[in-house]
């Protein structure tokens, strides 16, 4: 029953992603990494994996409605903690998150100055789906699809921030996994 529910929510998430409105922007970052499916999954789906290559601290409850806490420079619970919610997952295949933002959330504007995005934080509509695909010959395609971006200046800043940040994160993950 639980596996069926997880699979149903995963499919619903993907269907939602394919039916977004014309004004809503969706983007996908992908990277091919020479590793195993299990290592790629553990590097993103466990606290130990995330701390090995991406964040300073993490607490991840890989379960339905579990919390995916990360902090890039401090400890989870300190100001700046990111708290995402796990909506669905299929082990070694995908997990979907509803993004949460730290109280001090800000992104660079066109001049490089960090600016808060209160409209984005209040709207609370951005989701991310991480997918892991064995494409053969010891290669895994890891993809991050984000959706829920609305229109307006704050949304443009957020969209640009995540497009760049996701590329950087996937490159760091590749460097870590291919070096170990």
């Amino acid at each position: 029953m639980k596996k069926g529910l997880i699979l149903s929510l995963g499919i619903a998430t993907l269907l939602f992603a394919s039916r977004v409105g014309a004004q809503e922007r969706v983007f996908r970052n992908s990277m091919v990494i020479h590793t195993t499916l299990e290592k790629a999954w553990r590097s993103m789906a466990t606290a130990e994996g995330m701390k090995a290559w991406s964040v300073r601290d993490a607490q991840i409850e890989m379960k339905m409605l579990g919390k995916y806490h990360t902090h890039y420079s401090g400890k989870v619970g300190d100001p700046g903690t990111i708290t995402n919610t796990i909506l669905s997952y299929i082990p070694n295949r995908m997990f979907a998150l509803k993004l949460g933002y730290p109280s001090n959330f800000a992104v660079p504007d066109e001049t490089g100055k960090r600016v808060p995005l209160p409209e984005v934080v209040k709207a609370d509509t951005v989701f991310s789906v991480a997918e892991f695909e064995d494409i053969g010959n010891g290669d895994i395609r890891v993809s991050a699809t984000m959706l829920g971006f609305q229109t307006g200046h704050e949304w443009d800043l957020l969209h640009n921030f995540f497009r760049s940040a996701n590329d950087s994160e996937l490159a760091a993950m590749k460097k870590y996994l291919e070096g170990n």
Side-chain angles (χ1 to χ4, degrees):
M1 174 73 174
K2 188 174 181 180
K3 284 184 181 180
L5 178 61
I6 291 169
L7 182 59
S8 295
L9 285 171
I11 291 170
T13 300
L14 294 174
L15 288 173
F16 175 72
S18 67
R19 294 183 180 177
V20 295
Q23 72 276 15
E24 190 172 41
R25 292 173 286 179
V26 177
F27 68 84
R28 181 180 210 170
N29 302 74
S30 293
M31 177 82 53
V32 173
I33 302 172
H34 192 73
T35 191
T36 67
L37 196 56
E38 293 77 16
K39 286 180 182 178
W41 173 262
R42 280 194 310 267
S43 72
M44 284 185 75
T46 69
E48 295 76 20
M50 287 295 290
K51 290 189 287 188
W53 66 274
S54 179
V55 298
R56 181 163 182 214
D57 195 22
Q59 293 175 7
I60 299 172
E61 307 168 293
M62 190 51 67
K63 65 181 187 177
M64 295 286 298
L65 301 178
K67 297 302 178 189
Y68 191 104
H69 302 283
T70 56
H71 201 302
Y72 282 87
S73 59
K75 294 269 188 199
V76 167
D78 290 348
T81 297
I82 300 166
T83 300
N84 299 315
T85 301
I86 300 164
L87 300 177
S88 63
Y89 71 99
I90 301 171
N92 295 324
R93 289 205 35 218
M94 65 76 69
F95 62 88
L97 302 173
K98 181 175 188 287
L99 270 60
Y101 305 97
S103 58
N104 61 350
F105 184 68
V107 300
D109 67 8
E110 299 82 2
T111 68
K113 178 184 173 195
R114 294 189 67 76
V115 296
L117 304 177
E119 179 183 319
V120 167
V121 172
K122 183 179 176 186
D124 199 26
T125 62
V126 180
F127 298 83
S128 179
V129 179
E131 297 172 271
F132 306 82
E133 177 188 5
D134 187 338
I135 57 174
N137 299 318
D139 290 331
I140 305 300
R141 178 178 296 113
V142 179
S143 301
T145 303
M146 294 190 74
L147 61 148
F149 297 93
Q150 298 176 25
T151 57
H153 185 251
E154 283 190 22
W155 294 97
D156 293 343
L157 292 174
L158 184 72
H159 185 269
N160 294 339
F161 170 76
F162 276 122
R163 280 193 77 80
S164 176
N166 288 358
D167 277 340
S168 295
E169 287 288 294
L170 287 172
M173 182 181 176
K174 178 182 178 84
K175 182 177 180 182
Y176 166 72
L177 288 170
E178 290 184 351
N180 286 319

